[in-house]
Structure formats: structure tokens, C-alpha cells
Amino acid sequence: MKLTYSPEQQSFRMEVRDWLVANGPKEKLPTYDTKEGFELHRQWERKLHEAGLSMVMWPKEYGGRGCDLIDWLIFEEEYYGAGAPGRVNQNGQLLLGSTLLEFGTPKQKSHFLPRMASSDDMWAQAWSEPNAGSDMANISSKAILDGDHYILNGQKTWSTRATYADWAFGLFRSEVGSKRHHGLSFLMVPLDAEGVTIRPIKALDGEDAFAEIFFDNV
């Protein structure tokens, strides 16, 4: 087994390393749990995207670079070795993005993934609920199908990035009378939709690390 990097892999490593040295923030960005810090991290994500370094492992048509696993690991090594900013859009890019790549329709992929890679859309998680915690089987927030749309009612809590994000993704109970892991649907929701209310949850340091999301006939 050959355990050395190829010339192409070594070249990619140096490309990433040199770019980060030349373009990385000279000072540490404010935490992305503040409005100012969130927007500065979004700007950084866009800069990464312009350089083709935002989501290197995604196909090019979706805003990526088409790298293989080894190149992705090389990028991650160099990125964190350089002390570069935390990835503020990781909810979308690393969690939702991989789901869309595997299960999304062509229309969903072509619309959402490029905007996710460029951080034009920022994403929050919407899993936990007041009476369920992180137990997905006890989700009670409802999504009732009405024609081509779902009508959402309920509450999510401990939603990371929800205070400043554009969209959320999460699970909702879409089958009346269903129990436990049955009858759930994975939905994406614009957080500026009518009927959505977001209430920040103050962390011990006073920052808005999490939020509650209320859905009232959304």
C-alpha cells in the first residue's frame, strides 16, 4: 500500500496553504453568535467560495471543486492548521448539504446547493422541542399537507444559528396519529415566512448561540 501523497495532492496542499496565508483574516473574527460576527463570518465564507475552497468535495456544478476524500482531508488539515475561522454555515454545508446530495431532487440540488456553498443562504437546525429534547421520536410539531404545501405549527428550541439564519431544516410530524419514528418529514423552511417567530436564547456569556422557533400556520 502506498502511503505517500501524490504530486497532485502535494500541489493542492501548497495551494491551500499559500491561499490561507495570503487571504486569512489578520485578526480573529468576533464570535458568530453576535450579529456583527455572524456577518463577518458570512463574508469570509463568500471569500472561500470565490477561491473554490468553500465546499471542495462537492461537484463543481453545485459550487464545489470535485475533490476526492484525500483532497478534502488535506484541505481540512491545512484549514485548521492555519487557525482559520470556524465554519458558520456548517449546519447547511455539512449536515443538510450531504442529505440533499444523496436524496434531493435535481431541482433542489441546483437551487439550494450553490447558494449554500456561497453562504448566500445561511442555515439553522430545527430538531429539538421543549417536550422532546433531542429525542426525535417524541417530536410533536406538525406539518399538515395542504395541496402542494405543508402548514407548520409547533415549536423548536435550542436551534443553532436560528437568530441570524435565512433558513431552517428539521423534522415535523406529517402523519396524523403517527407515533415514535413513523410519520415524520424532513422539511426546509424559510425563516422570513409569515407566522415564523424567532426568540433568541441567551447563553451564559450573553450571546445568542441558540434560539426558539415558533411556527403559527406557516
Side-chain angles (χ1 to χ4, degrees), residues 117-179:
S118 65
S119 288
D120 287 341
D121 289 335
M122 303 291 271
W123 289 82
Q125 298 184 56
W127 305 115
S128 298
E129 295 186 4
N131 296 317
S134 296
D135 180 5
M136 300 295 100
N138 280 324
I139 280 176
S140 61
S141 292
K142 294 179 174 55
I144 303 303
L145 189 60
D146 181 15
D148 293 331
H149 297 81
Y150 283 99
I151 306 300
L152 308 184
N153 282 281
Q155 177 184 354
K156 298 292 184 175
T157 192
W158 304 115
S159 296
T160 53
R161 312 285 185 272
T163 304
Y164 309 117
D166 306 298
W167 286 76
F169 60 92
L171 288 172
F172 295 81
R173 193 158 297 281
S174 55
E175 183 179 327
V176 177
S178 63
K179 296 181 179 180

Side-chain angles (χ1 to χ4, degrees), residues 184-206:
L184 298 174
S185 289
F186 186 174
L187 301 178
M188 300 177 288
V189 188
L191 292 178
D192 62 354
E194 185 177 354
V196 173
T197 301
I198 298 173
R199 187 168 67 191
I201 299 174
K202 290 291 183 184
L204 292 176
D205 57 9

Side-chain angles (χ1 to χ4, degrees), residues 47-106:
K47 193 172 184 177
L48 277 174
H49 179 258
E50 290 169 1
L53 296 174
S54 173
M55 301 306 294
V56 297
M57 63 288 200
W58 285 5
K60 293 180 180 179
E61 62 266 30
Y62 300 137
R65 193 172 177 131
C67 288
D68 62 15
L69 176 61
I70 299 301
D71 279 344
W72 179 23
L73 293 176
I74 288 172
F75 170 79
E76 295 294 334
E77 279 187 342
E78 293 300 320
Y79 189 88
Y80 290 100
R87 305 300 300 272
V88 66
N89 206 13
Q90 60 185 325
N91 286 331
Q93 293 170 340
L94 298 182
L95 298 180
L96 176 59
S98 57
T99 301
L100 284 177
L101 282 168
E102 184 72 20
F103 300 107
T105 66

